[in-house]
Amino acid sequence: MQLKALSERVQVIQGPMVNVGVVLLADDRVALIDSGFDRRHGRKILELLTDCRYQVAAVLNTHAHADHIGGNRFLYES
C-alpha cells in the first residue's frame, strides 16, 4: 500500500481490491474516505498514515458495504 497524490490536499491509498481516499486537513490530520475490508486493512492503513506522520481525524463512509466500512472499528479503537 502506498499514498498517491491526486492534488495538493487529496491522496489515495491504492489497494488490490479497494481504494481509500485521504483528505489532508490542518496540523497533519486527515479524513479518510472509507476504511477498507477489515481490521487487517484498517491496521495497514493506520501504519501507512503513521509512517507519514498523519493522524486520522475522521472516517467518511460512502456506503455500508463491508469493503468500505470494514476497518472502521479498528481505526476508531486505535
Side-chain angles (χ1 to χ4, degrees):
M1 295 177 108
Q2 64 181 357
L3 282 169
K4 178 182 177 183
L6 300 179
S7 72
E8 184 178 326
R9 296 177 56 108
V10 178
Q11 299 180 8
V12 65
I13 299 172
Q14 294 181 309
M17 307 265 306
V18 73
N19 297 323
V20 174
V22 180
V23 179
L24 304 177
L25 306 173
D27 302 323
D28 298 324
R29 295 179 312 127
V30 298
L32 298 180
I33 310 300
D34 294 331
S35 65
F37 281 105
D38 54 19
R39 180 176 194 83
R40 184 179 64 87
H41 200 193
R43 181 179 291 117
K44 287 183 177 185
I45 291 168
L46 187 59
E47 288 172 359
L48 175 63
L49 295 174
T50 299
D51 288 347
C52 295
R53 297 192 172 128
Y54 291 146
Q55 181 181 10
V56 177
V59 177
L60 309 169
N61 296 122
T62 57
H63 60 283
H65 290 161
D67 59 327
H68 294 264
I69 66 170
N72 283 1
R73 184 173 183 161
F74 176 81
L75 292 167
Y76 176 76
E77 292 174 349
S78 295

